[in-house]
Amino acid sequence: FNPSTDIEFEIPKSSYIKMTIYDISGKEIEVLYNGYLNQGKYSVGWNAVKYSSGIYFYKLETDNYSQSKKMVLAK
């Protein structure tokens, strides 16, 4: 992506959600969302204009689920 992207996800039941961005070294660099969401499909935007090109990860955490995915920022 360059320099912004939307991260889409779906939650099967209402839950506390935390969406965090990490750099390649595992350092937390930004929290995109931290709160309660109802069941449904959602999209969270990330504008990475202030970050350099490279590999980043996002982590989606709920009450009983966690998933991480890789993203490549190319400027």
Side-chain angles (χ1 to χ4, degrees):
F1 66 97
N2 179 17
S4 65
T5 189
D6 291 324
I7 302 167
E8 297 178 354
F9 61 95
E10 184 175 354
I11 53 173
K13 64 179 185 175
S14 299
S15 180
Y16 171 82
I17 302 292
K18 185 174 182 183
M19 174 79 67
T20 311
I21 304 292
Y22 296 90
D23 65 14
I24 191 69
S25 68
K27 179 183 172 190
E28 180 181 300
I29 60 170
E30 202 165 328
V31 175
L32 300 182
Y33 188 84
N34 190 9
Y36 191 83
L37 289 176
N38 292 320
Q39 172 186 0
K41 294 181 181 181
Y42 294 92
S43 179
V44 176
W46 182 42
N47 187 342
V49 71
K50 65 183 179 181
Y51 300 105
S52 60
S53 296
I55 297 174
Y56 295 88
F57 297 89
Y58 74 83
K59 183 175 184 180
L60 173 66
E61 298 174 89
T62 69
D63 292 333
N64 55 6
Y65 177 78
S66 178
Q67 176 184 17
S68 297
K69 295 247 179 157
K70 179 173 79 170
M71 301 181 291
V72 178
L73 173 59
K75 289 188 174 182

